[in-house]
Amino acid sequence: MYIKGEDRQISKILNSAFYHIPTFQRPYSWSKENIKELWNDVLGNGEENYFLGTMVVYRDGRNRYGIVDGQQRLTTITMMLAAIRNRLNSNRNENLAKGVHNLIEKPDIDNVLTFVVQTETSYPYFQQHIQRFGSPNFSGRLGKEEGTVKIAFELIVELLGEYLDSQIEMPGFNREEEENVLKSIRDKFLNATVIFIELDSIGDAYLIFETLNARGMPLDAADLVKNHLTRYLSNQNPKLDEVKDAWNTIKSNTEISKLKLDVNSFVLHFWISSNPYLTGKKLFKAVQDKISCFETARDLLNRLEYESKIYKKISNPESVEWSKEDSSIKESLNGLVNVFNVTQPHPFVLAVLAEYERRNIKSKLAKKSISLIERYHFASTALCSVKSSGGVSKMYASQAKAFRDAEGTNSKGVIVSKLEEKLLEKLPSREEFRSRFKDLEYSSANTKQKKTVRYILQKVLTELRPESCFDFESMTIEHLFPESRKMQGFQSIGNLLLLPAKLNNENLGNKPIRDKLTSLSSFPEFLDPSLKGEVSTFDIEKRSDTLCRILEKWVYGKLE
């Protein structure tokens, strides 16, 4: 491995070459604290040549380098220079502004204007709104990294303004001297130095990239996995398009903000659903040990891309189309992620749906597998708030691997039965289930349990009438005894009913319960047994017991 190192000022770095950020690098991710620290260190330090650390690059053509380490700092310094340029230009110091801009954009060997720092992942915001001199000619929705860049640049503009304002208060300072202050700030950053380390090839860059992960802000496991795959696949595709395009698809499919899931969660869940259980900290080492040639790297990338689409269905079931046959799977997943907010079963659910999509199992087994997880987490997580342990995650992962490894539908069915036994052991007691069920409440002023209440009322209808197809999205929760009366128990689950909004508004409203029940008798499909007797005998507590028995039978009757 050829390595050449020397002290080099930022001014020489920007003047002497062009730099691109390879696809194996992480996106721009500096926080406000990182930016403020760099700003204060450079401007607050008495040294003329402040030391910024190392910058590692590899030669990638004439006057062009790929950045292995230092891209966060160089990108941030580029933004700082852009802010200084804009301020000079707004003060009509056009020549000085153009001088700074020459460090951001300059002609290449073919006399084509080219940005000194080149990145694809924050395109087009970084290029159009920051590097470009003048008004941008593009506007549109920002991606995640572009949003981070935008926040960073706005902070830098704010820091520059505050610094200039602080100088005004200095004795003898006036606005005409702002030019000198801006030149001073410019020079402080341009005079800052790094140890500039040049590598001979991109192959060396991959090795150094992984080694440098232990320094500074650690890279996420997914970044390292991506780099490791690129290392083996780049020989077949020097432009790295294969990995870049696949990884963009993977990231798009797996960034689920409401569940705080991202590409790291997916890669970990995927890996432990096929391999022995481990934590995120040990993930990259396991991938390194197992993926060691072009064939294994290609296979892993293809599987990650394929199963990221399934992960999207699991984590955001409303975002994709489902067949009528699979609608019950969609509803089970909606319960898990949108009501219970659980992700621990993801490795097992991913294994099941991956085998189902590959037609290695029938619909019946897929539905059974996901339904038993739904029933367990309804009772344990949503209703009884049982605190989960790492043992549950490990259980799901080990069963996922066993499910994938099992050959044939019968063998896979045995794995599902074993998981069912394990979940039964962990279920709360029936007594606790009943007690917690009767505590459920909802009103317009008390919405904490609304999602769980609505889920229960939907489940009651589907359990009582499995042949019916309800449009739950158009249905609302109705209080049998009107909220306006605020009688004892009016918020209780026993006083709540799920009805089409139109029926609710036109036939019920704030009518007395006797009139409501009389009207509802014409719509028996929405009624449970406790609402079909004499109107005068309706009792909130008894109806709570009825609903509880229906859900208790659904959970325990199928798991026991």
Side-chain angles (χ1 to χ4, degrees):
M1 181 185 296
Y2 170 81
I3 299 178
K4 175 185 176 182
E6 66 176 31
D7 289 352
R8 191 172 291 190
Q9 289 185 327
I10 294 296
S11 58
K12 182 177 180 180
I13 289 171
L14 297 176
N15 272 309
S16 61
F18 298 92
Y19 305 87
H20 76 96
I21 298 170
T23 54
F24 62 72
Q25 279 281 17
R26 74 185 314 161
Y28 184 80
S29 57
W30 261 23
S31 65
K32 290 184 177 182
E33 289 69 29
N34 296 134
I35 295 167
K36 288 178 181 178
E37 183 178 2
L38 176 62
W39 179 271
N40 293 329
D41 284 350
V42 173
L43 296 185
N45 194 286
E47 298 177 17
E48 184 177 345
N49 305 107
Y50 181 76
F51 178 63
L52 292 173
T54 58
M55 180 173 175
V56 184
V57 301
Y58 63 92
R59 190 169 287 280
D60 191 28
R62 185 173 182 178
N63 251 16
R64 176 179 161 92
Y65 294 96
I67 303 176
V68 178
D69 185 45
Q71 65 113 336
Q72 305 282 337
R73 278 165 292 169
L74 196 61
T75 302
T76 304
I77 288 173
T78 298
M79 287 193 274
M80 289 174 173
L81 291 172
I84 293 169
R85 175 202 63 197
N86 294 349
R87 186 79 179 216
L88 285 167
N89 193 53
S90 66
N91 289 349
R92 299 184 179 180
N93 295 317
E94 189 175 349
N95 285 336
L96 286 174
K98 287 181 177 178
V100 175
H101 184 68
N102 288 337
L103 300 167
I104 300 171
E105 184 181 30
K106 62 186 179 183
D108 63 11
I109 191 66
D110 297 322
N111 202 33
V112 176
L113 279 176
T114 305
F115 291 125
V116 175
V117 177
Q118 301 157 21
T119 176
E120 295 180 19
T121 54
S122 56
Y123 180 86
Y125 186 84
F126 183 64
Q127 292 81 357
Q128 289 290 333
H129 291 262
I130 297 174
Q131 290 179 300
R132 180 183 172 88
F133 193 4
S135 301
N137 59 14
F138 175 88
S139 61
R141 187 176 179 182
L142 300 185
K144 184 177 180 180
E145 183 182 357
E146 292 175 283
T148 304
V149 170
K150 180 175 185 290
I151 291 170
F153 188 61
E154 288 172 348
L155 173 62
I156 289 167
V157 171
E158 181 183 329
L159 290 172
L160 179 61
E162 289 176 354
Y163 187 86
L164 291 170
D165 289 342
S166 70
Q167 298 301 304
I168 294 175
E169 299 175 3
M170 301 290 287
F173 181 86
N174 58 63
R175 277 293 180 187
E176 294 178 2
E177 296 181 30
E178 183 175 303
E179 175 185 309
N180 292 328
V181 178
L182 288 168
K183 288 166 65 176
S184 173
I185 299 170
R186 175 200 66 189
D187 292 345
K188 282 247 184 182
F189 280 102
L190 294 179
N191 290 336
T193 62
V194 299
I195 296 177
F196 189 83
I197 300 174
E198 182 181 335
L199 306 173
D200 198 38
S201 69
I202 191 171
D204 294 341
Y206 296 133
L207 294 174
I208 294 293
F209 181 76
E210 292 173 10
T211 304
L212 288 171
N213 179 52
R215 302 181 53 196
M217 181 187 289
L219 288 163
D220 293 325
D223 291 321
L224 291 168
V225 170
K226 176 188 173 187
N227 169 62
H228 191 68
L229 295 176
T230 304
R231 176 182 174 187
Y232 289 107
L233 298 178
S234 64
N235 292 332
Q236 301 295 320
N237 187 349
K239 294 185 178 180
L240 310 180
D241 286 342
E242 179 182 12
V243 179
K244 182 189 73 174
D245 293 343
W247 209 260
N248 285 341
T249 299
I250 292 166
K251 285 187 70 175
S252 175
N253 286 335
T254 57
E255 290 184 345
I256 316 293
S257 58
K258 64 182 178 181
L259 290 175
K260 297 182 179 179
L261 295 176
D262 57 17
V263 65
N264 293 288
S265 312
F266 163 65
V267 175
L268 177 61
H269 287 158
F270 167 84
W271 189 264
I272 63 177
S273 75
S274 310
N275 298 277
Y277 180 80
L278 47 72
T279 61
K281 291 182 179 179
K282 297 180 179 179
L283 173 61
F284 176 59
K285 181 65 169 60
V287 174
Q288 254 187 331
D289 291 343
K290 194 165 185 177
I291 307 302
S292 57
C293 65
F294 171 80
E295 288 74 18
T296 55
R298 168 65 67 79
D299 178 64
L300 178 59
L301 183 65
N302 289 343
R303 289 172 62 207
L304 285 169
E305 184 175 13
Y306 177 78
E307 296 204 15
S308 72
K309 298 169 187 175
I310 301 172
Y311 198 78
K312 181 178 181 179
K313 293 178 74 171
I314 296 168
S315 305
N316 193 5
E318 295 291 350
S319 67
V320 294
E321 290 291 328
W322 294 79
S323 67
K324 186 175 181 180
E325 182 185 15
D326 294 339
S327 60
S328 64
I329 295 177
K330 174 189 174 183
E331 293 308 316
S332 291
L333 293 174
N334 262 327
L336 286 169
V337 301
N338 293 325
V339 182
F340 315 153
N341 295 317
V342 294
T343 58
Q344 287 173 311
H346 271 39
F348 184 77
V349 177
L350 180 63
V352 169
L353 289 188
E355 291 296 285
Y356 180 45
E357 297 244 342
R358 293 185 175 102
R359 302 190 177 183
N360 292 332
I361 61 171
K362 301 291 186 182
S363 170
K364 183 178 179 181
L365 183 57
K367 291 176 181 177
K368 177 185 176 182
S369 303
I370 297 168
S371 176
L372 72 89
I373 295 171
E374 177 193 14
R375 296 196 300 274
Y376 167 74
H377 281 287
F378 164 67
S380 295
T381 307
L383 192 62
C384 297
S385 302
V386 175
K387 289 187 177 180
S388 196
S389 64
V392 173
S393 297
K394 193 170 184 179
M395 173 193 69
Y396 280 127
S398 63
Q399 295 302 114
K401 182 181 184 303
F403 188 86
R404 287 189 192 261
D405 292 344
E407 295 184 6
T409 301
N410 291 338
S411 296
K412 293 183 187 295
V414 171
I415 301 301
V416 173
S417 296
K418 288 182 178 178
L419 176 62
E420 198 167 12
E421 292 174 7
K422 292 176 182 292
L423 293 177
L424 176 59
E425 294 173 3
K426 296 178 180 293
L427 271 176
S429 67
R430 287 176 178 265
E431 290 72 22
E432 184 178 1
F433 180 95
R434 294 165 188 162
S435 174
R436 292 297 187 98
F437 191 94
K438 291 178 182 180
D439 290 338
L440 289 168
E441 293 183 335
Y442 164 73
S443 70
S444 56
N446 179 14
T447 60
K448 184 178 180 180
Q449 295 178 312
K450 182 179 180 180
K451 280 188 175 182
T452 303
V453 167
R454 183 181 179 86
Y455 171 87
I456 287 170
L457 296 176
Q458 286 184 198
K459 193 59 65 178
V460 166
L461 289 177
T462 54
E463 283 298 295
L464 291 175
R465 293 171 185 81
E467 75 288 347
S468 299
C469 184
F470 295 99
D471 180 12
F472 289 123
E473 290 185 6
S474 69
M475 300 175 79
T476 58
I477 300 173
E478 166 68 6
H479 287 75
L480 292 169
F481 282 106
E483 280 192 82
S484 56
R485 288 185 57 184
K486 289 187 169 49
M487 63 170 290
Q488 184 177 358
F490 81 96
Q491 299 183 99
S492 168
I493 184 77
N495 190 46
L496 305 175
L497 187 65
L498 196 64
L499 295 170
K502 186 176 181 181
L503 173 61
N504 204 345
N505 294 331
E506 293 180 359
N507 296 65
L508 305 179
N510 285 320
K511 290 180 179 179
I513 188 169
R514 178 182 294 273
D515 295 341
K516 285 184 179 182
L517 292 176
T518 300
S519 298
L520 285 170
S521 62
S522 302
F523 304 94
E525 65 271 25
F526 302 115
L527 306 183
D528 55 80
S530 62
L531 296 176
K532 293 183 178 180
E534 289 293 327
V535 172
S536 59
T537 62
F538 176 74
D539 181 272
I540 290 177
E541 190 171 343
K542 287 182 179 179
R543 182 161 181 270
S544 292
D545 290 339
T546 299
L547 299 181
C548 184
R549 283 195 297 273
I550 293 170
L551 269 293
E552 186 179 342
K553 180 181 178 182
W554 174 66
V555 172
Y556 293 86
K558 296 185 179 182
L559 283 176
E560 287 182 352

